[in-house]
Amino acid sequence: MKFGTKAIHAGIEPDPTTGAIMTPIYQTSTYVQRSPGDHKGYEYSRTHNPTRTQLQNALAALENGKHGLCFSSGMAAVDAIIKMLKPGDEVISTNDLYGGSYRIFTKIFQNYGIKFHFTDMGDLTKVESLVNENTRMIWVETPTNPLLNIIDIKGCAEIAKKHKLLVVADNTFATPYLQTPLDLGADIVMHSLTKYMGGHSDVVMGAIVVKDDDLHQQLAFIQNSCGATPGPQDCFLVLRGLKTLHLRMERHCQNGRQVAEFLKGHVKVEKVFWPGFEEHKNHKVAQEQMRDFGGMVSFVLKGDKVEDAISVLEKLKIFTLAESLGGVESLCGHPASMTHASIPAEERMKAGLSESLIRLSVGVEDIEDLLSDLERALR
């Protein structure tokens, strides 16, 4: 099946009891057993729930994986993956990383003896130079948040294979509509379903997809044991969102391209971060591993003054100043004080994340209205 057909049908079966075409919300905590241990595959909803099962199957199909696992948030999915490691293990990741991931790595798991290296992963020689006998994992985020850097997933996978490491790819920004990391050699794909996959800013959830049976068993054990699982109502909402993922992503990409080109030509804008530009550092890699370049755009104003950036953010009306991204509505944010505030200022600056950087999540509204909104705010 092509992607749009998969988004609507793959992994989804009509309800076996009633034939309902939409997956029911199984709002139950427990299930009747005929005899101790003799049940229909469901015992307790922390472990399994039919609504969640359908969503996990759909996600696995979209990512060309075999097993999907859903969590109560994207950070809960990150937490489960790192819990596969033990004290003394080391992880290599990008220096342009989502602030929540950086926080849980450095403020939580580093306290338990796991070491994290942050580097420019656009240069694979820097990645391989950090590999040692304690390295267990390469954590890839591409496109990165918020500088839209592109990391070569296939190249990282080749390094990992040579050194017997796991590759985890955070596919939140791209979604499987734009890239499928498992096909490029990644072992684990992670999502904040809160963003594009849900797509309507009405649910918080995370997910993991794998091909390997052993990895699935390890992660499913952690999922059940630690209990950070989503409820059936949230699973229903994401299932509904997936059915229009291909349509929404087409429009996000179209609008994102026009917003990026508008900003690039604006007299008050110093630099625009968007992987679709030929001058982007890893544009060719993006062309090879992505279908299109997405709806995320970041930029810095001339003069690079925080007060100017704040003034623009306060003037925007259709672009709403709020946390998160990937919804049908356009959002704007100031990473240094919002999504990436947990990263020390000196680390942000070393990674190239300016204190005045503005991040846009370009929605699916009419492009003329979005461009007019930006034009008014930039006057």
Side-chain angles (χ1 to χ4, degrees):
M1 289 187 285
K2 299 295 185 182
F3 189 90
T5 309
K6 285 171 68 175
I8 295 169
H9 295 288
I12 307 297
E13 298 292 338
D15 178 52
T17 304
T18 65
I21 194 166
M22 295 302 295
T23 304
I25 301 169
Y26 285 89
Q27 194 69 55
T28 183
S29 60
T30 192
Y31 307 82
V32 173
Q33 302 188 23
R34 290 178 289 266
S35 182
D38 181 9
H39 51 76
K40 298 181 180 181
Y42 295 92
E43 304 167 81
Y44 188 59
S45 276
R46 172 168 40 78
T47 308
H48 297 292
N49 177 283
T51 314
R52 193 171 89 220
T53 297
Q54 292 278 289
L55 175 56
Q56 291 177 159
N57 292 342
L59 294 169
L62 290 178
E63 281 287 4
N64 295 334
K66 187 176 179 181
H67 307 284
L69 294 165
C70 287
F71 295 82
S72 56
S73 68
M75 292 314 304
V78 175
D79 178 74
I81 294 168
I82 303 300
K83 279 177 177 170
M84 293 194 300
L85 304 178
K86 63 182 187 300
D89 289 347
E90 298 187 12
V91 179
I92 300 169
S93 188
T94 176
N95 60 356
D96 174 24
L97 185 69
Y98 167 55
S101 299
Y102 180 90
R103 179 176 56 222
I104 198 171
F105 289 171
T106 60
K107 302 297 184 183
I108 304 297
F109 283 106
Q110 209 152 264
N111 294 334
Y112 294 92
I114 299 172
K115 187 174 182 179
F116 296 86
H117 301 276
F118 302 100
T119 189
D120 174 9
M121 293 183 72
D123 182 349
L124 292 181
T125 60
K126 292 182 179 179
V127 175
E128 189 156 21
S129 70
L130 291 169
V131 175
N132 60 56
E133 66 274 13
N134 297 317
T135 309
R136 297 291 178 268
M137 184 179 289
I138 298 175
W139 188 282
V140 177
E141 180 184 292
T142 184
T144 62
N145 181 5
L147 294 177
L148 288 306
N149 286 314
I150 298 297
I151 297 168
D152 185 345
I153 300 171
K154 187 175 181 180
C156 287
E158 289 171 354
I159 293 171
K161 186 176 181 181
K162 188 194 309 184
H163 299 281
K164 298 181 179 179
L165 312 175
L166 288 174
V167 172
V168 180
D170 183 338
N171 206 26
T172 298
F173 268 29
T175 81
Y177 178 79
L178 296 181
Q179 68 186 14
T180 45
L182 295 177
D183 293 336
L184 298 170
D187 301 288
I188 300 171
V189 174
M190 171 262 156
H191 282 279
S192 172
L193 299 178
T194 311
K195 314 304 192 297
Y196 286 108
M197 302 287 267
H200 294 80
S201 301
D202 54 8
V203 63
V204 175
M205 196 188 303
I208 294 169
V209 178
V210 298
K211 287 183 177 179
D212 184 79
D213 292 340
D214 289 338
L215 276 177
H216 173 249
Q217 287 182 359
Q218 290 181 60
L219 289 162
F221 179 83
I222 293 169
Q223 179 199 46
N224 182 50
S225 299
C226 297
T229 51
Q233 174 73 29
D234 287 349
C235 291
F236 172 85
L237 289 172
V238 176
L239 274 167
R240 187 177 65 173
L242 291 183
K243 293 182 184 298
T244 59
L245 177 63
H246 56 303
L247 302 174
R248 291 184 286 104
M249 289 306 294
E250 286 176 9
R251 185 61 169 265
H252 283 301
C253 291
Q254 291 168 9
N255 284 356
R257 178 182 294 274
Q258 292 192 63
V259 165
E261 290 173 349
F262 167 81
L263 291 169
K264 185 180 179 183
H266 199 283
V267 65
K268 291 190 176 180
V269 175
E270 178 68 31
K271 186 174 183 180
V272 181
F273 300 86
W274 183 66
F277 291 137
E278 288 188 5
E279 61 269 26
H280 186 283
K281 180 181 175 182
N282 271 356
H283 174 68
K284 289 185 178 180
V285 175
Q287 283 183 310
E288 291 171 1
Q289 71 184 24
M290 299 177 71
R291 175 184 286 187
D292 206 332
F293 305 109
M296 298 300 300
V297 180
S298 296
F299 68 100
V300 176
L301 298 170
K302 287 184 178 176
D304 196 18
K305 295 179 180 178
V306 175
E307 55 267 30
D308 291 342
I310 292 173
S311 176
V312 169
L313 291 166
E314 290 176 345
K315 290 177 183 176
L316 286 166
K317 301 301 180 186
I318 298 175
F319 283 90
T320 305
L321 180 59
E323 296 272 0
S324 201
L325 59 102
V328 291
E329 70 290 329
S330 292
L331 299 176
C332 58
H334 182 237
S337 64
M338 296 169 69
T339 56
H340 290 67
S342 59
I343 300 176
E346 60 272 17
E347 294 299 322
R348 293 198 301 264
M349 295 303 289
K350 281 195 293 184
L353 201 169
S354 166
E355 293 295 291
S356 64
L357 184 85
I358 294 172
R359 189 191 73 180
L360 302 178
S361 173
V362 183
V364 300
E365 302 95 338
D366 288 307
I367 188 60
E368 294 83 1
D369 293 324
L370 295 179
L371 297 182
S372 294
D373 194 35
L374 286 166
E375 182 63 57
R376 285 193 301 270
L378 287 166
R379 283 176 187 161

